[in-house]
Amino acid sequence: MATTMPKLKRKFALGTHGGTRPLVWLVAIICTILAVAVIVAGIVVFIGYIVIHPRMPIISVTNAHLDFLKNDYAGLFQIQLNIVVTAKNGNAKAHATFSKITFNLSYQGQDLAVLVADPFEVPKNSSKDLNYFIQSSSIPLNPDQMEEVDDAWKRNEIEFNFKGGARTQWRVGPLGSVKFLCRLNCDLKFRPLNGTYIPSRCTSKSK
């Protein structure tokens, strides 16, 4: 005996005249408008950035001085120095905001100080100096580090590692902004006999 298969009824979201319901069209139109708005906003930010064609914001060590350096036979190490970090905005058409500013000063892998600063703004085509005064407590050194300090006195040159960075941001018109990350990693060299800073290129890289 042949068995009759039941017929499946399919329902579609159709209007009274067989067309797609107006609500579906409305949702599709809204999604299209939002997508176009996002694309347009991205294009505006990109064009604004190209038109401004700015120099990248940078942070640099522009000056320093070793005021005091002491090491004794017990291996205790102590320093006092000044470091000037300059935040520069080479953009002639937009202010730059610097935030999350943190630097670490160390010697032979031994941390000496952590330097921070509150967020600040640098006007168009201008710069701002951050003046840091570091006075460390007596820090115990291992034999290898003690020997390195003795050698530094003999050759009249000692170096500290200075590492850190900041986040920067430019406002590009009313619709967007351009953000960068400035990273700094360099060695600061001094003459321990008179504390003179030996100038070297210590400038951040932006990405």
Side-chain angles (χ1 to χ4, degrees), residues 136-153:
S136 73
S137 56
S138 295
I139 299 171
L141 300 180
N142 60 43
D144 290 339
Q145 292 170 332
M146 292 171 59
E147 184 177 351
E148 178 59 33
V149 175
D150 290 337
D151 290 341
W153 279 109

Side-chain angles (χ1 to χ4, degrees), residues 11-29:
K11 294 183 179 181
F12 295 90
L14 301 177
T16 55
H17 299 290
T20 305
R21 290 179 180 174
L23 180 60
V24 177
W25 278 111
L26 180 61
V27 172
I29 292 172

Side-chain angles (χ1 to χ4, degrees), residues 39-100:
I39 294 173
V40 170
I43 292 174
V44 169
V45 172
F46 177 75
I47 292 176
Y49 177 70
I50 295 299
V51 170
I52 291 175
H53 193 59
R55 295 180 180 177
M56 296 289 188
I58 60 173
I59 48 178
S60 306
V61 174
T62 52
N63 200 5
H65 190 270
L66 180 61
D67 300 327
F68 178 76
L69 172 64
K70 177 183 178 182
N71 64 301
D72 57 26
Y73 293 105
L76 296 179
F77 181 74
Q78 188 176 3
I79 63 163
Q80 179 177 304
L81 53 83
N82 288 276
I83 299 176
V84 179
V85 178
T86 301
K88 184 176 181 180
N89 174 23
N91 190 335
K93 298 184 178 180
H95 292 229
T97 300
F98 289 75
S99 62
K100 297 185 178 180

Side-chain angles (χ1 to χ4, degrees), residues 117-130:
D118 293 328
F120 58 86
E121 187 174 89
V122 177
K124 306 172 185 178
N125 202 25
S126 186
S127 62
K128 177 181 175 63
D129 288 340
L130 301 175

